[in-house]
Amino acid sequence: MEQTIHFQLKDGISAELAKQQVRQEYESYKAQMDRHKTQYKILEEAEQPDGSLIVKIKKQNNAQPVGNYLD
């Protein structure tokens, strides 16, 4: 499955703290996939002018083998 995920800044906090939280949320997302042994490949990471992050990812959708899909 291919996904585009937008990790957005939270309102009501400083811009710098919001950017740190975006990075933490992204790292947590990747760690969760690792813990669940979900195979994935990051296709693109694009930091936006406001500090948010758009990530394009190709990943395993379930426990079925993915073959060479992620190559």
Side-chain angles (χ1 to χ4, degrees):
M1 158 174 37
E2 285 191 41
Q3 281 185 310
T4 301
I5 304 170
H6 189 183
F7 294 91
Q8 297 180 321
L9 302 179
K10 307 294 186 251
D11 292 330
I13 57 176
S14 72
E16 195 57 41
L17 182 57
K19 289 177 187 179
Q20 288 176 358
Q21 286 184 348
V22 162
R23 276 284 163 195
Q24 288 175 337
E25 183 181 358
Y26 175 48
E27 293 303 322
S28 177
Y29 179 76
K30 291 191 301 184
Q32 179 185 11
M33 288 190 295
D34 290 339
R35 276 193 309 276
H36 290 104
K37 297 183 174 45
T38 301
Q39 295 179 34
Y40 66 94
K41 181 177 184 180
I42 305 296
L43 302 175
E44 183 180 335
E45 291 179 15
E47 187 170 334
Q48 303 304 295
D50 68 352
S52 65
L53 186 62
I54 295 178
V55 178
K56 293 184 181 181
I57 187 170
K58 200 184 252 193
K59 69 178 192 173
Q60 180 182 20
N61 190 31
N62 51 31
Q64 299 299 318
V66 293
N68 63 357
Y69 176 69
L70 297 176
D71 294 339

